[in-house]
Structures are given as structure tokens and as C-alpha cells.
């Protein structure tokens, strides 16, 4: 069996990870889209958005588990096992923090939907870029495009920083400390989602730098 | 000198790290046990629990320092120097955040002992699992058991997340903003301890994946 | 062309990174010095300190971008690409959090200058040590001195922890929840700067451990 054949024999196993990462990215795109849409006509007393986010979060946990199982079994990986493991954890963190945002929105019955919705749009845009980046990371076919997505995700995080500070300044005008504490918590959870997306972007960039 | 002899000559140095990690794990088990017991009959005006936690925290700093000194001297390490260094910092972070929790409990004179105690039990259980995992990590003798401990630590962190949100909802019923800010701070420090335990679990899992 | 010539041909490219890291360190020293001085006669309604910090933050972003561009182009690097990438991100985080502190100081119009100034001095001292450490990291000429700077930066972080808890206890005496929430936020941002400096110290130490 020539080297080419050996290569082809290993290919399917190698591809397992990209298939899984593509499913993870697709899940994040759907989760963030449903999250953003759910905030349009959000009812503080209806837990259906929270339940939906909880389902997505569990689905992401299952993918994360599957990737770790595959990491334990496959000898051949498309890039270093530590990079796969780091990327997996960072992607899961995005889902965890979208869920946490939805949880505290519901538990605290906070009504700052306009600001929440600005964040959810930035979060959705970041997840769409993550999906694009993962497609371009596959087989390292387009490192420049991965870098481009990463720059966009970083810019969404900067915008989210400004949305946070502007929302907080406005929030303090209410002069209601209990409301401020609650809404500030949710706003900060939302901002962390964009930080986590930035972490994903940084990890993908460092993978590109390492292998390109 | 045959390869076997060379191996044996290096063994003792190699073992230094596991001896130190076992002492670190033992310290965390004792620290978290004393922390949990100390909350049973906690007196807000008595700083003896804080002093005890401070002593443990210093002891952990000494171990951390010793591991870094050994890392600087030993050429042979049981696994990559970066992994040893990361694991050491993550274990030390657990002690730092138990101490921080005890510090703000005392400084703020906050009295939400029931919730605090739910956390300290989860923290202690996590430390016990960390000790088990480190024993099984030794010589990579039982990767499956390390993975099992890691799953347990992750599940304690998920429970801690729920304890936090439930405690916060209850806390807000007090309608006392100053009390809420203080108790929320302590509850969040306690929750971070379980996050740090999860970091330790993730690092141990990635070591297992790398070397097994 | 002999090996020596090949080496010399590559040297200049290799040096690019240290030249950039030295400029980054110099920028952090200047930024933290201007920040500390700016707090001496701070006027809550004057945004000139915030603008100055914003300029430094942009300058740091440009350096960060340049280092990543160089990482993408240069095959030879003085140490692992991941280490360069991690160190770059951690140094940029310091600037980001000094800027965030200045931003919330200005937006919230909070007047706890004495405590802020204690932090800014510790931050400046940490940046000076980072500069010293980077000079000693160059060519791995003085690993012991890097370790020494790292110990100092860690001690500044411990002091900052105490400054935070003491400032918070004093802050709560005001009994004004809105003021407490605002000033606590700024104090915590300032404390995070020293955490980020500690991250830089830890990364430099792990580089030293890896290559010395």
C-alpha cells in the first residue's frame, strides 16, 4: 500500500472532527438565531425561550462529549489534540453563556429588551462568522478567510463593549438599585458571549499560524 | 549502563512532581473540608476560619513555588512542562478563590450560610475527585478513571451553577440592595471555585488525551 | 552559504518579535505612567485622560496586529508561535483593561480617586517590571531575572487584592447602593489589570521553563 493509499485510509477518521465542528457551528448559528428572534416579542413570564436555549445547550454538551470521545480514540487528528480540545471548550462556552443570559433574563424578569436585542444580533453575527471560519479552516484551504472572519468577530466584540457601557449609563438613570443589579448582570452575561466568540477566533487564528 | 538503569536513575526526579501534586491535592482536600466544617457553626465576628484558610493558601503558594523551582531544575518531567505549569496554576487558583470567599464572607459580615454551605460541600467533593484523579494520572495508570473524575467535577460545577441562580433569586427577595451586593459577591466567588475545579479537570483530561 | 551565514540571514527576522515586544512594553510603561499621573488632578467632567488612554489602546491594537502579521509571514520565531501569540494577547489585555477602567471612571463620574490611585501605581510598577522582563527574555540571556520580575509582578497582584478588599469595605460605609455599584465596578476593572499583568508574568515564566 503506497503512501497515498495510507493517507486515504486515514482520511475518513481525520474528517470526523471537521464534521463535528461543522455541526457545532451550525448549532450555534441556529441557537443564536432563535435567541435573537425570541427577544423580538419576549414575554417575561413565558419560559419557552429559556427551554429552547436549554435544549441547544444540552445538544452542544453532547457534541462536546462526542469530540472528546473521538479525541480519545483517533490517533490521527487534523491538528494538535490540545488545539481541538481548546477549540471545543471555547465553542461550548458560547452556548453556556447564551443559556446563562436567557436564564437570568427569565429568573430576574428584567425588561431591557432593546439593549438585550442589540447584543443578541452581535452574538448571532459572530456565530455566523465562526461557521464561515470553520469551513475555511477545513483542510487549511483558506487561511486568509479564517483571519478575515477573526477580524470581524473581534470587531463585533468591540461593538459589544460599547453597547455594554452605553446600556449601563442609561440603566443607571433609572436610579433603582435592585433593577440595576439584575439588568447589569444580564447585560454582562451577554457581553461575555462576545468575549467567548473572540476566544474562538483567537484559537482559530493561532491554529492557522501554526499550520499554514 | 543499560537503558533500564538510565531509566531508573531518572525515575526519582520524575516522581518529584507527582509527590508534589499529591501533597497539593491533599492540602485542597483538607482546606475544603475545614472550610465546609467551619461554615456549620460560623460566627461572623470570629476570624478564625479566615485565618485557617489564609494558612492553607500560603501553604499552597509554597507548593506552587516548589513545583516551579523543580520545573526549572529537572530536565525529565512526567509530561510537558507547560502542562505541569498550567495544572499547578489551576490548582493554586482553587485555593486562592476559597480564601477569597472566606475573606469576603468575613469582611462583609454576610449571613447567607445555608447557600454558602451548599457550595462548600460541592467544593469539597470536587477536591476529593481531584485527589482521586491525580492518583490515577500518576504513571498514566488509569486514564479512564481520570476521565470519570473529570465528568464528576463537571457535574458538580453544573450543580453549583444552579445553586447560584436559585440563591440569587432568593436573595433578591430581601429587597435590600446593600445586602444583595455583598452576598452576591460571596456567592459568585464560591461559584468560581467550582469553575476553577472544572479548569483542573479539563487540563487533566487534555493531558490524558495527549499521552494515552 | 555556510550555516553561520544562513543563521545571520535569518537573525534580522527573528529579532522582529523582540523589537515589537519592546515597543509594546514601552507603550504600556508610558500608558500606565500617564494613567497614574492623570489621576493626581483628575476632573470627572474632563475626558482628556480617557482620550489619551483610548489613543494608547489603539496603538497597542496596531502592535498586536503587526505581531500577528509577522507571525503569519516569518518561519523562524525566537520561541513557539503559540507562546508569541499568547504573550501578545495578554499584553494587549493589560491595555484593554486600563482603558476600560478609565472609561467607566469617566462614564460613571465616580470619585474614589484615592483608591484608584493606589491601583494605578501598582499597575505602573507592574508594567515597568514587564519591560524589564522582556529585555531579559531577549535571547534568553537572563532567565533568573525574568523569574525575579515575575515574582515582583505576582506580589503587586497580591497587594492589589488587598487594596480591593480594603477599598470595598470602606466603600460600603457610604451606604449608597448606586454609588457602590459604580465605584465597585471601576475598582474591579483596576484589579483585573493586575491579574492580566500576572498572566503576562506566568506566560513569560513558562517560556523560560520551556527553553532554558
Amino acid at each position: 500500500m503506497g503512501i497515498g493509499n495510507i493517507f486515504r485510509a486515514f482520511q475518513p477518521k481525520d474528517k470526523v472532527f471537521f464534521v463535528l465542528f461543522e455541526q457545532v457551528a451550525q448549532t450555534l448559528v441556529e441557537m443564536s438565531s432563535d435567541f435573537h428572534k425570541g427577544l423580538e416579542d419576549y414575554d417575561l413570564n413565558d419560559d419557552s425561550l429559556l427551554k429552547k436555549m436549554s435544549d441547544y445547550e444540552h445538544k452542544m454538551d453532547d457534541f462536546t462529549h462526542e469530540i472528546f470521545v473521538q479525541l480519545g480514540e483517533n490517533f490521527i487528528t487534523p491538528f494538535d489534540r490540545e488545539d481541538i480540545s481548546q477549540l471545543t471548550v471555547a465553542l461550548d462556552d458560547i452556548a453556556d453563556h447564551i443559556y446563562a443570559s436567557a436564564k437570568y433574563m427569565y429568573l430576574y424578569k428584567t425588561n431591557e429588551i432593546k439593549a438585550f436585542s442589540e447584543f443578541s444580533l452581535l452574538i448571532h453575527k459572530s456565530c455566523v462568522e465562526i461557521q464561515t471560519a470553520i469551513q475555511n479552516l477545513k483542510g487549511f484551504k483558506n487561511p486568509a478567510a479564517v483571519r478575515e472572519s477573526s477580524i470581524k468577530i473581534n470587531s463585533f466584540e468591540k461593538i459589544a463593549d460599547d453597547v455594554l457601557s452605553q446600556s449601563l449609563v442609561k440603566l443607571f438613570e433609572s436610579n433603582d438599585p435592585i433593577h440595576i443589579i439584575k439588568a447589569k448582570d444580564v447585560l454582562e452575561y451577554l457581553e461575555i458571549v462576545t468575549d467567548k466568540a473572540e476566544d474562538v477566533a483567537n484559537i482559530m487564528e493561532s491554529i492557522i499560524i501554526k499550520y499554514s
Side-chain angles (χ1 to χ4, degrees), chain A:
Chain A
M1 188 156 82
I3 282 184
N5 287 344
I6 289 169
F7 184 67
R8 274 189 297 278
F10 280 124
Q11 269 302 80
K13 278 211 161 271
D14 181 1
K15 275 180 183 157
V16 162
F17 292 102
F18 276 111
V19 170
L20 283 163
F21 280 132
E22 279 172 348
Q23 286 172 316
V24 162
Q26 179 60 27
T27 307
L28 286 176
V29 168
E30 288 169 19
M31 183 181 196
S32 58
S33 168
D34 282 357
F35 184 53
H36 184 58
K37 277 183 215 147
L39 291 178
E40 269 170 38
D41 51 354
Y42 186 57
D43 174 355
L44 293 176
N45 297 308
D46 176 3
D47 67 353
S48 63
L49 181 62
L50 176 57
K51 277 188 179 155
K52 217 183 259 181
M53 294 303 112
S54 172
D55 290 344
Y56 279 120
E57 200 254 344
H58 285 127
K59 199 176 166 185
M60 286 289 289
D61 279 347
D62 291 342
F63 282 128
T64 301
H65 179 72
E66 180 58 26
I67 293 173
F68 276 97
V69 167
Q70 289 292 336
L71 263 186
E73 287 178 6
N74 282 335
F75 188 70
I76 303 280
T77 54
F79 36 88
D80 274 0
R81 308 174 104 69
E82 304 99 283
D83 295 322
I84 293 177
S85 139
Q86 267 192 42
L87 184 56
T88 306
V89 170
L91 288 162
D92 191 41
D93 274 354
I94 295 177
D96 283 352
H97 283 83
I98 294 177
Y99 169 66
S101 307
K103 185 167 77 168
Y104 283 99
M105 249 176 233
Y106 177 74
L107 290 176
Y108 287 168
K109 313 275 178 234
T110 40
N111 199 352
E112 294 286 337
I113 301 303
K114 217 189 133 272
F116 296 168
S117 184
E118 283 185 70
F119 276 111
S120 61
L121 184 60
L122 288 166
I123 289 167
H124 179 57
K125 282 181 179 177
S126 302
C127 290
V128 170
E129 276 314 316
I130 285 172
Q131 187 174 43
T132 305
I134 279 175
Q135 279 155 1
N136 288 310
L137 192 64
K138 199 176 169 180
F140 302 98
K141 63 178 167 213
N142 199 342
V146 176
R147 174 101 187 107
E148 217 172 279
S149 291
S150 171
I151 290 169
K152 279 186 199 162
I153 295 164
N154 274 273
S155 79
F156 296 143
E157 193 277 333
K158 292 243 167 195
I159 299 171
D161 261 359
D162 286 339
V163 172
L164 180 64
S165 53
Q166 295 312 318
S167 310
L168 289 175
V169 168
K170 251 192 97 188
L171 182 62
F172 275 103
E173 290 168 9
S174 78
N175 248 317
D176 174 352
I178 304 273
H179 173 64
I180 289 169
I181 298 168
K182 288 179 172 177
K184 187 168 178 286
D185 235 22
V186 177
L187 292 167
E188 285 171 351
Y189 272 114
L190 289 163
E191 200 276 329
I192 292 173
V193 182
T194 65
D195 289 342
K196 296 298 173 181
E198 197 184 17
D199 287 348
V200 167
N202 288 339
I203 293 167
M204 289 192 295
E205 261 200 84
S206 78
I207 291 171
I208 282 296
I209 284 166
K210 213 160 141 185
Y211 296 98
S212 306

